[in-house]
Amino acid sequence: MELITPSIGLLFWMLVGFGILFFILAKFAWPIVMKAINSREEKIESQLAEAERVRNDMKNLKSEHQALLVQAKEERDQILADARKIREKLYEETKETANREAQVIISEAKNAIHFEKMKAMTDIKNEIANMSIEIAEKILRNELSEKEKQEELVNNLLKDINLN
Amino acid sequence: MTYNNKRFFLTGVLIAIFALFSSISVKAEEEAKAFDPGEVIIGHIIDSYGWHIAGDVSVPLPIILFDQGKPVVFMSSKFHHGHCAYKGYAIGFTPESKGKIVKLAGANAQYTGEIEELAENNGIEDVAGMESLIDNEAFLIDISITKNVCGLFVAIIICCFVFLKVAKQYKQREGKAPHGLQGVVEPLILFIRDEVAIPSLGKDKYQKYFPYLLTLFFFILINNLMGLIPIFPFGANVTGNIAVTGILAVITFFVTQFSSNKTYWKHIVNTPGVPWWLKFPLPIMPVVEMIGLFTKPFVLMIRLFANITAGHIIVLGFIGLIFIFGAMAPALGFALAPVSLVFYLFMGLLELLVAFIQAFVFTLLTALYIGMAMEEEHEDAHEANVVELKTETI
């Protein structure tokens, strides 16, 4: 059992012992350990990837959200502008229509007034004419009730005719 | 505990240690034999049939012999630390047979009793006479459970216990963070996988060799660490024994050869990038490469053995200093003890580092050799050689 001469016994037991150790560990320990470590690593890796994916999704979602918001705002503005425009247009139209109608009514009214006026004038004229005739008749009757006056009139009339 | 109490406690412990050492040194002196540090140190490093604990106390271990194919089993305590023979068997007492079990010759073939008495009875005084007592013809196969074998078994049991427990934990706590023993072992496993196995063997092929690499690494590591604990049942110099490192190297050699491919053998027989006159008519390069096949595992064997043994020798040397000076004058040994202890602690820490480094280097080189044997033909084959050269210098 010197320092650098290996003894048969130790060689033998070492070979046997290491062989048994290797067999036991390679069969009952390492596969389990490696499987667990690998599966855990895979799990961690997949979870990291998943987290990354979710984060990207969130980012996308956020930007989508943002875009949607912007779009909604734009739409709102558009709608408001449209509404304003429509209102103005409607106002203008209404005003115009009202004006036109007012004009029509006014002109009709004017016509009616004119017509009525004319009618009234005609009536008044007729009335005045009738009254004048009646008055003239009465005056004539009154004037012509005396003989000399009748003669004077006829003379006056004749005078006029002679002049012609 | 207050500061003062702590200081008193520490002082007490140190005084107790010094007292212990000085008492041992005094005892060593009383034994009247000159203290031979070389012999003591080597005695601690090499294998032995019993497991010496302290003083005269030692754990007897079974002796298993095959004498001409006939099994003989008895306990090492029958040898009484090598002083006695048992049924004709004895621990070698001549310089040539030192440390081996020998069979006594002729009429003494069944002798049980003191060897010195036997020598006296036969009127033997010189070495040549002692040698005549030994039956050199006897064919003994000695597979005794020696101190190192016992240490080896302890290491194997610890390995099995630790890793079966860890495997159980992995099963129970699947997908959860490592816990307890798992947390100690997992970084090492991942280190071996990511720094040793995958870089040397490639991501696709490493799985086949990974169990071997892991077993190798943890076996060496646990034995190295156990060698640092000087208390029974630890402290056997298992990885500092050439038989142990030799077997590991041989296994690596065979694994390498069995996983070799055509390219590997082509590189050996017809090394590319080398002038033709180095291969023909004198096959210098092929011969060198063939020798290289064997030097690789040989270097593995020597590196681990020498590193661990050297560390132990230095530690024992520092402890031995106490006894050397103690043998001159007890007071001197007493005075030197703290200095030696500081050095011992320093070396202990260094050896702790070496325990990891050597386990790592052995595993790394094994992986590299296997990787080289499996390498497909491509341009940067020389890079692997550079890596090899680099690691070779560790």
Side-chain angles (χ1 to χ4, degrees):
Chain A
M1 292 208 186
E2 287 301 297
L3 197 56
I4 51 165
T5 46
S7 66
I8 300 278
L10 191 51
L11 285 173
F12 169 76
W13 287 116
M14 173 62 197
L15 196 59
V16 171
F18 190 77
I20 291 170
L21 178 71
F22 175 70
F23 176 78
I24 291 174
L25 292 186
K27 201 162 167 67
F28 301 111
W30 303 135
I32 296 168
V33 171
M34 286 328 291
K35 210 182 117 205
I37 288 179
N38 286 339
S39 75
R40 197 177 62 211
E41 267 176 4
E42 269 165 28
K43 197 174 150 194
I44 289 170
E45 216 144 284
S46 73
Q47 273 173 355
L48 280 178
E50 176 81 17
E52 183 72 15
R53 202 177 58 74
V54 167
R55 203 164 56 198
N56 280 341
D57 280 4
M58 285 298 284
K59 223 196 247 167
N60 288 345
L61 219 62
K62 211 174 158 191
S63 61
E64 242 170 60
H65 185 77
Q66 212 86 31
L68 219 63
L69 212 68
V70 168
Q71 202 188 332
K73 262 184 192 162
E74 268 170 17
E75 257 171 41
R76 189 196 64 182
D77 288 352
Q78 187 70 39
I79 288 168
L80 276 177
D82 282 358
R84 204 171 286 139
K85 232 183 263 172
I86 288 169
R87 193 191 67 183
E88 266 163 28
K89 206 171 142 198
L90 213 65
Y91 177 73
E92 289 295 320
E93 268 176 15
T94 316
K95 211 165 128 190
E96 214 171 288
T97 316
N99 274 349
R100 217 169 28 235
E101 269 173 23
Q103 220 66 48
V104 168
I105 290 167
I106 288 168
S107 68
E108 271 176 8
K110 270 183 182 166
N111 284 345
I113 289 167
H114 185 68
F115 177 72
E116 290 296 320
K117 201 173 102 187
M118 284 316 210
K119 212 173 140 192
M121 290 284 269
T122 315
D123 281 357
I124 289 168
K125 267 182 190 166
N126 287 343
E127 202 70 25
I128 289 171
N130 282 342
M131 276 161 84
S132 312
I133 292 171
E134 266 177 41
I135 290 165
E137 201 183 287
K138 273 176 185 167
I139 292 169
L140 272 176
R141 251 174 234 277
N142 210 14
E143 291 260 322
L144 293 176
S145 54
E146 296 165 18
K147 197 80 183 224
E148 307 106 44
K149 279 194 183 177
Q150 280 176 4
E151 277 178 8
E152 199 184 331
L153 181 66
V154 173
N155 285 342
N156 276 349
L157 286 170
L158 283 173
K159 228 192 258 178
D160 281 349
I161 294 163
N162 280 349
L163 272 170
N164 281 340
Chain B
M1 207 182 270
T2 64
Y3 173 73
N4 265 346
N5 279 346
K6 216 181 219 169
R7 204 168 53 170
F8 273 124
F9 177 72
L10 277 178
T11 322
V13 167
L14 281 180
I15 287 174
I17 292 171
F18 298 156
L20 184 71
F21 277 126
S22 37
S23 73
I24 294 170
S25 70
V26 168
K27 190 170 173 262
E29 206 184 20
E30 274 171 1
E31 273 175 3
K33 276 184 197 165
F35 178 73
D36 181 356
E39 201 180 318
V40 170
I41 288 171
I42 294 299
H44 273 87
I45 282 168
I46 60 171
D47 210 352
S48 64
Y49 286 104
W51 198 320
H52 183 247
I53 291 175
D56 286 334
V57 184
S58 67
V59 177
L61 296 169
I63 305 279
I64 305 168
L65 295 171
F66 284 95
D67 185 0
Q68 258 94 14
K70 182 168 63 75
V72 181
V73 179
F74 56 93
M75 296 306 281
S76 67
S77 52
K78 297 282 198 302
F79 285 143
H80 294 280
H81 303 289
H83 300 307
C84 293
Y86 178 75
K87 287 186 179 169
Y89 303 102
I91 295 177
F93 42 80
T94 60
E96 205 174 302
S97 66
K98 203 163 166 260
K100 284 184 235 156
I101 288 185
V102 292
K103 199 175 181 195
L104 298 181
N108 301 317
Q110 287 296 318
Y111 177 75
T112 303
E114 294 240 351
I115 293 164
E116 272 179 38
E117 215 177 278
L118 183 71
E120 259 172 46
N121 290 347
N122 289 315
I124 294 166
E125 274 163 11
D126 57 342
V127 174
M130 292 297 269
E131 259 165 26
S132 70
L133 285 174
I134 295 169
D135 178 10
N136 284 321
E137 306 285 295
F139 181 63
L140 290 177
I141 298 174
D142 174 13
I143 55 163
S144 306
I145 309 296
T146 58
K147 182 182 170 186
N148 278 348
V149 176
C150 193
L152 179 76
F153 288 167
V154 173
I156 288 169
I157 289 165
I158 288 176
C159 268
C160 285
F161 175 76
V162 167
F163 291 108
L164 292 180
K165 190 170 182 239
V166 166
K168 204 172 129 198
Q169 273 182 318
Y170 270 110
K171 225 178 202 171
Q172 282 171 347
R173 302 170 46 82
E174 203 171 336
K176 286 186 196 160
H179 174 75
L181 210 52
Q182 237 183 326
V184 179
V185 167
E186 185 169 318
L188 292 173
I189 294 177
L190 292 182
F191 175 72
I192 294 298
R193 189 190 64 179
D194 298 337
E195 305 297 328
V196 175
I198 292 179
S200 322
L201 296 168
K203 214 166 175 59
D204 319 315
K205 291 178 186 166
Y206 88 94
Q207 243 139 0
K208 192 174 153 196
Y209 299 96
F210 197 42
Y212 174 59
L213 294 178
L214 280 179
T215 313
L216 194 62
F217 177 77
F218 284 108
F219 176 79
I220 295 172
L221 181 64
I222 285 179
N223 273 309
N224 285 352
L225 293 177
M226 274 175 52
L228 298 181
I229 305 170
I231 304 163
F232 180 82
F234 309 111
N237 185 20
V238 178
T239 37
N241 188 294
I242 204 152
V244 172
T245 61
I247 290 288
L248 292 177
V250 165
I251 295 172
T252 290
F253 174 76
F254 280 113
V255 171
T256 309
Q257 301 320 314
F258 282 126
S259 49
S260 61
N261 60 13
K262 234 172 160 178
T263 319
Y264 177 68
W265 290 105
K266 211 182 104 192
H267 271 250
I268 286 169
V269 179
N270 184 12
T271 319
V274 169
W276 62 269
W277 45 267
L278 278 175
K279 305 174 201 164
F280 183 83
L282 273 176
I284 297 171
M285 275 315 284
V287 167
V288 169
E289 289 280 350
M290 281 307 280
I291 294 170
L293 274 186
F294 297 100
T295 53
K296 282 172 192 165
F298 187 76
V299 166
L300 276 184
M301 170 178 83
I302 296 295
R303 181 186 295 108
L304 181 57
F305 157 72
N307 269 286
I308 303 304
T309 302
H312 286 213
I313 287 176
I314 293 170
V315 163
L316 288 165
F318 282 128
I319 299 297
L321 274 183
I322 301 172
F323 296 97
I324 292 167
F325 283 94
M328 291 178 191
L332 212 56
F334 187 79
L336 198 78
V339 181
S340 271
L341 277 180
V342 169
F343 277 114
Y344 167 70
L345 282 178
F346 171 71
M347 273 314 294
L349 292 176
L350 204 64
E351 272 204 274
L352 198 62
L353 195 66
V354 169
F356 278 94
I357 290 173
Q358 288 308 320
F360 164 63
V361 167
F362 200 107
T363 316
L364 175 70
L365 288 178
T366 295
L368 268 178
Y369 294 157
I370 298 171
M372 274 158 57
M374 292 196 305
E375 203 166 30
E376 297 300 328
E377 193 153 22
H378 55 74
E379 288 307 306
D380 48 326
H382 299 284
E383 259 175 56
N385 287 334
V386 175
V387 173
E388 186 201 353
L389 271 177
K390 260 191 212 161
T391 47
E392 202 76 45
T393 54
I394 293 173

